[in-house]
Amino acid sequence: MESRQPEEREKEKAEGGFLLPIRRLEMSDRSKGFIDLLGQLSPCSPLSDADFLARFAELASLGDDHVILVIEDPQSGRIVATGTVFVEKKFLRGCGKVGHIEDVVVDAAARGLHLGQRIVGRLVDHAKASGCYKVILDCTAELRAFYEKCGFEEKNVQMARYF
């Protein structure tokens, strides 16, 4: 959301032989299909430019405590993968920190290129570098195998209450 970190500029190779860098979300990504991509994960109401920019600024003000990463396809100029990690600061474990991974989605046309694994790996790396003692996420039963490939193991039970 701010200037890119060197490790976020690092280019990694995806299947097919072309380079797809992972970087932080930028304001211009709204016009590159970022909201449409999120809609492949969960219903996403249309956002006005003003609403997008206000939320972007709010999240950017949190610095490294809230990071949204994206992968842009250089051929189409569209955002094809994204994921978020935010850092919860706790009193437990000597004022420890926990990373929470959310909103991981890869465009249906780009699945199978390991983009999701790369995004999750980078989010985990960020949580670890931020001093988190663990990183957690919620997923559906259908995605259990994917997250196991990313090094996660099933733990406890998720509960939710929606408003």
Side-chain angles (χ1 to χ4, degrees), residues 3 19 28 31 44 71 93 95 98-100 103 108 114 143 147:
S3 65
L19 298 175
S28 62
S31 65
C44 195
I71 296 176
R93 293 194 176 225
C95 293
V98 174
H100 294 263
D103 302 337
H114 306 287
L143 291 173
Y147 286 109

Side-chain angles (χ1 to χ4, degrees), residues 17 30 48 63-64 81 86 92-93:
R30 182 186 193 294
S48 69
D64 286 341
F86 66 90
L92 291 171
R93 293 194 176 225

Side-chain angles (χ1 to χ4, degrees), residues 88 90 92-93 95-99 127-128 130-135:
E88 174 190 7
K90 304 178 79 66
L92 291 171
R93 293 194 176 225
C95 293
K97 299 177 188 177
V98 174
K128 187 175 181 181
S130 296
C132 294
Y133 68 88
K134 71 178 178 179
V135 63

Side-chain angles (χ1 to χ4, degrees), residues 111-126:
R111 293 182 187 152
L113 299 175
H114 306 287
L115 303 180
Q117 286 178 291
R118 290 179 52 225
I119 286 279
V120 170
R122 190 65 66 83
L123 296 171
V124 168
D125 290 347
H126 179 81

Side-chain angles (χ1 to χ4, degrees), residues 145-163:
F146 168 76
Y147 286 109
E148 286 172 347
K149 287 179 189 176
C150 294
F152 287 80
E153 61 185 57
E154 189 171 349
K155 193 90 170 168
N156 301 324
V157 175
Q158 175 202 27
M159 303 292 288
R161 185 170 176 182
Y162 290 87
F163 303 103

Side-chain angles (χ1 to χ4, degrees), residues 12-148:
E12 297 176 51
K13 197 170 196 174
E15 280 186 287
F18 54 94
L19 298 175
L20 295 174
I22 297 174
R23 61 172 174 78
R24 286 188 182 216
L25 181 71
E26 299 172 353
M27 285 192 295
S28 62
D29 292 333
R30 182 186 193 294
S31 65
K32 296 176 181 177
F34 176 71
I35 300 299
D36 294 335
L37 178 61
L38 289 176
Q40 292 183 39
L41 178 66
S42 185
C44 195
S45 302
L47 293 177
S48 69
D49 287 343
D51 287 342
F52 182 86
L53 295 176
R55 180 53 46 99
F56 182 92
E58 178 183 10
L59 295 176
S61 73
L62 300 174
D64 286 341
D65 284 345
H66 195 107
V67 173
I68 301 172
L69 297 179
V70 297
I71 296 176
E72 179 180 346
D73 177 355
Q75 295 173 340
S76 68
R78 304 285 292 171
I79 302 301
V80 294
T82 188
T84 300
V85 64
F86 66 90
V87 177
E88 174 190 7
K89 295 177 180 172
K90 304 178 79 66
F91 287 103
L92 291 171
R93 293 194 176 225
C95 293
K97 299 177 188 177
V98 174
H100 294 263
I101 292 180
E102 289 282 340
D103 302 337
V104 175
V105 62
V106 175
D107 184 77
R111 293 182 187 152
L113 299 175
H114 306 287
L115 303 180
Q117 286 178 291
R118 290 179 52 225
I119 286 279
V120 170
R122 190 65 66 83
L123 296 171
V124 168
D125 290 347
H126 179 81
K128 187 175 181 181
S130 296
C132 294
Y133 68 88
K134 71 178 178 179
V135 63
I136 58 177
L137 57 82
D138 294 323
C139 71
T140 62
E142 296 80 23
L143 291 173
R144 185 179 295 134
F146 168 76
Y147 286 109
E148 286 172 347

